[in-house]
Amino acid sequence: MSTRRVLIVDDEPLIRWSLVERLRTEGHDLIEAATAAEALDRAEQGVDLVLLDYRLPDEDGLVVLKRLRDLDPDTLVIMLTAHTNVDTVVLAMKAGAFDYLTKPFDLDDVALRVARALETTRLRRELRTLRDTLARPFGLGSVMGESESMQRVKTLVRKVASSPGSTVLITGETGTGKDLIAKVIHYSSGRAARPFLNITCSALPEALLETELFGHERGAFTDARQQKRGLLEQADEGTVFLDEIAEMAPTLQAKLLRFLEEKAFRRVGGSGDVRVDVRVIAATNRDLEEHVRTGRFRDDLYYRLNVLRVEVPPLRARESDVAVLAQHFIQAFSREFKRPVSGLTEAAAAALKAYGWPGNVRELRNVIERAVLLCDHDRLEPSDFETLPIARSRAGSGHGGFGLPAGGVNLEEVERSLIAQALERTGGNQTRAAVLLGLHRDQIRYRIEKFGLKESREPAMPRPAD
Ligand SMILES: Nc1ncnc2c1ncn2[C@@H]1O[C@H](COP(=O)(O)OP(=O)(O)OP(=O)(O)O)[C@@H](O)[C@H]1O
Ligand SMILES: [Mg+2]
């Protein structure tokens, strides 16, 4: 641990001297102040901990404490009081003091408490750095797109993020960025330092989803050996993201509605209410209105969720964003794969723009990922999207471009030949060959073994690093 700077504020030189002497042996960097004015002056230069006398000649110790906390909320303060005056101690702790010491001091006790406070400061700072790092990818700036409709979405997201607790409904087709927007709302809000927990409602059977969300009491059912806190409790003061909300079972819809209205719920098997402060963000790529009309989704829950709604437009409705997003993904993947691809040719940009993108931004992202991985020139060309849905959509065969010959084929033969060709084209690089064929690396390895393609190549062709 690097040297920690401790500021000792007391108007009595003898007290300062004894503290400095003792704490110096702990290896701390010690500075002194005899008045409030001096203390604030020193603190401005940056300190890790302040030992602050309650009674100072020019200012009340509590006032100095508040100023110090305003200056840097991470700086901890230990109050020094003349005797055990309970009122004084209570006031100091309420004003944000970390600890207190009463005179006359037991110097070993002082050293111990100083060490503890410094460790707390270190951990707090570390945590803050960690949180900043985690939150950075989900700032508003991470939502790409300058089209009018995306600008409207971003303005709305900014407003929603600054409203502390309101429930949000995000709708839009698959791959339009609903997950991303939910995270951006959380990490741009006052809740950013608290958990963001998500759950996909369609991924779990009803009973499991219920205990995941609301938790259960001990003995609530056979396997419930202990009490379990649900996501809502774990995310207290944070956000819970309920993905694919349209798929939530009716009984759970009722429980969720109660929670949204009363901010209270019961654990499964519980009899008392649990209160938490959680923002709920729900998302769906379904037509929720249609679900309401057909009775699959409760209308009262729908109205409760629909107060603040972010509708993410499909990519085909914001053509101008295609190039912006493509460029963004090219940069990201060229960095990740260390490939020197810098952009798109005009023809490639036009081809991407013309495509309908049924899978929206996710599909575009995948298309760019493949192209960057496989291309060996500076700018992506239409031919880099050859095997992709763009080419197929133009061919319009609906069969991915392969016609079955009248006499039929030997499927294994075709497979073997395609794998051999892919390896040929990528100079034996299995990762890139797998991408060409839409296979996972393990899948291509398995087939290479199966068809005995490995032995014949490897001695002749050393493989470039994957
Ligand atoms: N505007 C955008 N800017 C940058 N990246 C985006 C944008 N929109 C989506 N993405 C990226 O596209 C991918 C798909 O987005 P996301 O998972 O948020 O979609 P979704 O709407 O939740 O889809 P689904 O309905 O299938 O759950 C993610 O990798 C996401 O980061
Ligand atoms: Mg999603």
Side-chain angles (χ1 to χ4, degrees), residues 29 54 59 88 99 247 257 272 292 332 359 365 370 386 403 415:
D29 177 11
Y54 201 87
E59 188 72 276
T88 320
D99 202 350
E247 270 63 52
L257 178 65
V292 171
R365 186 180 187 276
R370 280 167 79 108
E386 205 177 8
E415 200 180 342

Side-chain angles (χ1 to χ4, degrees), residues 279-298:
R279 185 211 288 267
V280 171
I281 303 182
T284 180
N285 52 28
R286 299 301 168 97
D287 182 347
L288 209 50
E289 288 76 14
E290 172 65 19
H291 275 56
V292 171
R293 270 195 298 279
T294 53
R296 268 180 293 172
F297 202 82
R298 290 180 72 109

Side-chain angles (χ1 to χ4, degrees), residues 168-224:
V168 186
L169 176 64
I170 308 176
T171 55
E173 290 178 12
T174 182
T176 44
K178 298 183 294 298
D179 273 65
L180 176 65
I181 283 172
K183 289 192 185 113
V184 169
I185 291 175
H186 172 77
Y187 286 108
S188 319
S189 77
R191 297 174 178 267
R194 302 290 302 154
F196 173 88
L197 300 178
N198 63 352
I199 192 160
T200 304
C201 300
S202 60
L204 297 175
E206 181 182 343
L208 206 56
L209 180 60
E210 179 171 8
T211 56
E212 280 299 307
L213 257 185
F214 299 108
H216 61 68
E217 295 294 348
R218 185 166 170 230
F221 43 87
T222 330
D223 289 334

Side-chain angles (χ1 to χ4, degrees), residues 13 25 32 104 137 173 193 222 239 264 285 310 346 355 360 411 431 463:
T25 62
E32 300 174 43
E173 290 178 12
T222 330
T239 304
N285 52 28
V310 181
E346 262 177 45
Y355 179 60
N360 292 295
L411 195 55
T431 307
R463 208 153 45 90

Side-chain angles (χ1 to χ4, degrees), residues 18 25 30 56 81 105 139-140 142 149 166 185 188 196 203 248 277 290 304 316 334 349 355 364 388-389 447-448 463:
S18 65
T25 62
L30 298 152
L56 291 168
T81 65
F105 303 127
L140 249 176
S142 65
S149 55
S166 2
I185 291 175
S188 319
F196 173 88
M248 187 179 259
D277 164 26
E290 172 65 19
R304 188 68 192 69
R316 66 182 167 283
S334 61
Y355 179 60
L364 175 62
L388 304 170
R447 287 170 173 79
I448 288 170
R463 208 153 45 90

Side-chain angles (χ1 to χ4, degrees), residues 257-274:
L257 178 65
R258 174 173 179 243
F259 170 68
L260 292 176
E261 286 185 335
E262 299 172 22
K263 294 281 167 209
F265 63 91
R266 282 186 189 174
R267 298 192 193 103
V268 174
S271 51
D273 277 351
V274 180

Side-chain angles (χ1 to χ4, degrees), residues 137-138 140-146 150 153-154 170-183 200 241 243-244 283-286 312 315 318 321 324-325 328-329 333 359-366:
F138 304 115
L140 249 176
S142 65
V143 182
M144 300 290 142
E146 293 310 318
M150 272 319 274
V153 165
K154 286 197 260 189
I170 308 176
T171 55
E173 290 178 12
T174 182
T176 44
K178 298 183 294 298
D179 273 65
L180 176 65
I181 283 172
K183 289 192 185 113
T200 304
F241 177 46
D243 205 358
E244 301 189 16
T284 180
N285 52 28
R286 299 301 168 97
V312 196
L315 192 50
R318 41 182 167 117
D321 287 345
V324 176
L325 284 160
H328 167 69
F329 293 131
F333 288 119
N360 292 295
V361 185
R362 180 181 296 117
E363 187 180 7
L364 175 62
R365 186 180 187 276
N366 294 346

